[in-house]
Amino acid sequence: MVKAVFPGSFDPPTFGHLDIIERARTIFERVLVVVAVNREKQYLFDADERVAFMRELVAPWPNVEVHTCDTLVVEFARQHACRVLLRGVRSVQDFSYEFELSILNKGVGPEIETFFMPTDQKFFVLRSSAIKELAAYGGDVSGMVPAVVAKALKAAYPRS
Ligand code: ADP
């Protein structure tokens, strides 16, 4: 019975994030989605909005919870008795970044194991930053993010 933490900015959540959560929830007893609140980072959607999106999107899945965290994610995992830190990987570039991060996290919390889950091929091009850019230019993002997010992106980038 292992619980996993799935941390991220989720600014905003995409179908790629949801695919990882949906697959992980059939493997782990519980999945704790952790919306990162990093004071150094500039987000389009504030923490409350990102949490609200996520809560709505994972509502059909009883073993998935949504939290926020402004500490080290390893600290959060420890406090919530989660053994696994889950990260999605789209590409070799993602992997090299995630691999280094996993080594850092292992140094801070040796009892927490990072698991990598490769993206589904349908979602490997989905990246929150690129989706925001597309939305800012009025592009159609409805195939990349859930309807609630697409609507919020439209509102965030009204076209004159
Ligand atoms: P962070 O700022 O922590 O990278 P993101 O919201 O960008 O936050 O991503 C959270 C997690 O979801 C990361 O592990 C990332 O690699 C993964 N992820 C993002 N997009 C996808 C996707 N399309 N397919 C699979 N995993 C993804």
Side-chain angles (χ1 to χ4, degrees), residues 62-81:
N63 63 335
V64 180
E65 335 173 339
V66 180
H67 297 257
T68 51
C69 166
D70 61 0
T71 62
L72 282 178
V73 74
V74 165
E75 207 49 60
F76 177 95
R78 201 177 266 148
Q79 280 163 8
H80 290 79

Side-chain angles (χ1 to χ4, degrees), residues 36-75:
V37 184
N38 181 343
R39 277 172 191 80
E40 312 284 295
K41 265 195 180 180
Q42 280 256 299
Y43 299 104
L44 175 63
F45 296 105
D46 67 25
D48 289 346
E49 290 173 298
R50 289 177 287 135
V51 166
F53 289 144
M54 266 302 181
R55 291 228 162 103
E56 181 174 339
L57 298 169
V58 305
W61 302 323
N63 63 335
V64 180
E65 335 173 339
V66 180
H67 297 257
T68 51
C69 166
D70 61 0
T71 62
L72 282 178
V73 74
V74 165
E75 207 49 60

Side-chain angles (χ1 to χ4, degrees), residues 89-111:
V89 175
R90 284 160 296 205
S91 60
V92 174
Q93 285 79 8
D94 267 4
F95 180 75
S96 76
Y97 169 74
E98 295 291 344
F99 181 71
E100 280 186 22
L101 198 60
S102 75
I103 304 282
L104 282 176
N105 282 327
K106 191 81 178 162
V108 190
E111 77 282 21

Side-chain angles (χ1 to χ4, degrees), residues 10-40:
F10 308 116
D11 185 39
T14 71
F15 285 135
H17 295 132
L18 292 178
D19 176 64
I20 297 286
I21 299 168
E22 189 172 18
R23 286 155 65 199
R25 79 170 204 93
T26 65
I27 297 168
F28 299 104
E29 179 198 2
R30 293 196 82 71
V31 176
L32 280 70
V33 176
V34 173
V35 174
V37 184
N38 181 343
R39 277 172 191 80
E40 312 284 295

Side-chain angles (χ1 to χ4, degrees), residues 107-121:
V108 190
E111 77 282 21
I112 317 274
E113 296 292 347
T114 297
F115 280 27
F116 301 123
M117 191 180 273
T119 188
D120 185 283
Q121 57 168 348

